[in-house]
């Protein structure tokens, strides 16, 4: 999965347009914010998986340059992908 810092120019605008709503949904959730404040990335990942399925898939699909309806991550890939999103400083600084 690409980091926001790797996306440049017009493509960055397109990706930002795709991720702004799902990222806002995830990172403004009080339960997610509290888990992140307590340094529990695993707890935050669990909340995201349970409460924000469509949002996290839309966000990850945009970062993978794949239409969301075609994006099908494997069970083994999901934890790493979600932790990648949570650990992306540029994404976190947006919200």
């Amino acid at each position: 999965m690409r980091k926001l810092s790797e996306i440049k120019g017009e493509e960055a605008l397109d990706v930002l347009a795709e991720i702004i709503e799902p990222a806002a949904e995830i990172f403004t959730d009080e339960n997610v914010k509290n888990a992140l404040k307590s340094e529990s990335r695993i707890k935050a990942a669990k909340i995201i998986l349970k409460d924000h399925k469509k949002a996290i898939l839309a966000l990850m699909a945009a970062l993978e340059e794949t239409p969301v309806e075609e994006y099908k991550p494997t069970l083994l890939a999901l934890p790493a992908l979600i932790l990648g999103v949570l650990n992306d400083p540029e994404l976190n600084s947006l919200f």
Side-chain angles (χ1 to χ4, degrees):
M1 181 174 62
R2 296 182 308 163
K3 293 185 177 186
L4 288 181
S5 60
E6 298 171 350
I7 306 167
K8 309 281 188 215
E10 237 180 83
E11 182 186 10
L13 296 173
D14 292 337
V15 171
L16 184 58
E18 292 295 320
I19 68 167
I20 198 159
E21 286 183 46
E25 176 186 322
I26 293 166
F27 288 105
T28 59
D29 179 307
E30 288 300 319
N31 293 326
V32 173
K33 289 192 318 190
N34 290 335
L36 291 173
K37 285 180 188 172
S38 70
E39 300 297 322
S40 179
R41 301 260 186 237
I42 299 298
K43 184 176 180 183
K46 181 180 177 181
I47 294 165
I48 292 167
L49 284 168
K50 291 184 119 252
D51 298 343
H52 302 284
K53 292 173 183 72
K54 289 183 180 180
I56 194 65
L57 288 173
L59 195 152
M60 292 188 305
L63 293 174
E64 292 286 338
E65 301 177 271
T66 304
V68 71
E69 56 277 353
E70 295 176 18
Y71 186 69
K72 307 282 187 241
T74 66
L75 178 62
L76 295 176
L78 278 170
L81 292 169
I82 291 174
L83 290 174
V85 167
L86 292 174
N87 290 324
D88 188 329
E90 288 83 13
L91 187 59
N92 286 303
S93 69
L94 285 174
F95 303 95

